[in-house]
Amino acid sequence: MNPSRIAFIASLVLAAASIVCVVLFGAPPDAGAAPMASGFKSPILAFELARSMRDLAFLQGEEAAALRAYLAEVQFIDWFFPPAYAGMAATLFAGIALRPDAGLLRRVLAGLAIIAALITI
């Protein structure tokens, strides 16, 4: 099996891993008693992009215990999602660059795309 096919197979495996991560993220439970900061519809984004402690009020109290547990689980899964997703792109572009019929321009563009994919991690 040539290197190009191996890279394409790796890309499919990493695509499957990305999908598994998204499925594992699941849906958030009900928010706590306090509303999320203005402009946020997702507790994940409200948590990650909070500008002050007041923006995190929706995570306080016993009513938000399930939401806090959910966010901790999502943060753990999120260690695997970026490498899987960017790795999928990088191996896809590697497969393109490694094709025997790839010209110089295609190899250079694929190489730049690989670098961009890896930088996103």
Side-chain angles (χ1 to χ4, degrees):
M1 188 175 302
N2 68 30
S4 176
R5 288 185 191 249
I6 293 170
F8 287 134
I9 290 169
S11 182
L12 289 173
V13 169
L14 290 167
S18 298
I19 292 169
V20 167
C21 286
V22 169
V23 169
L24 288 175
F25 284 150
D30 289 335
M36 283 187 283
S38 173
F40 291 109
K41 296 193 183 337
S42 162
I44 294 171
L45 292 177
F47 177 62
E48 290 182 355
L49 302 175
R51 294 176 300 271
S52 71
M53 291 300 290
R54 190 172 52 236
D55 290 347
L56 298 174
F58 73 99
L59 292 173
Q60 298 173 358
E62 193 58 39
E63 310 86 31
L67 183 56
R68 287 191 303 272
Y70 168 78
L71 289 174
E73 184 178 320
V74 165
Q75 281 188 313
F76 175 75
I77 296 167
D78 205 31
W79 278 94
F80 303 99
F81 181 71
Y85 191 74
M88 169 194 62
T91 55
L92 176 69
F93 293 125
I96 292 169
L98 293 170
R99 288 185 55 99
D101 61 342
L104 179 63
L105 179 61
R106 184 177 291 176
R107 288 177 196 259
V108 168
L109 291 175
L112 292 172
I114 290 168
I115 291 168
L118 295 177
I119 287 172
T120 63
I121 297 174

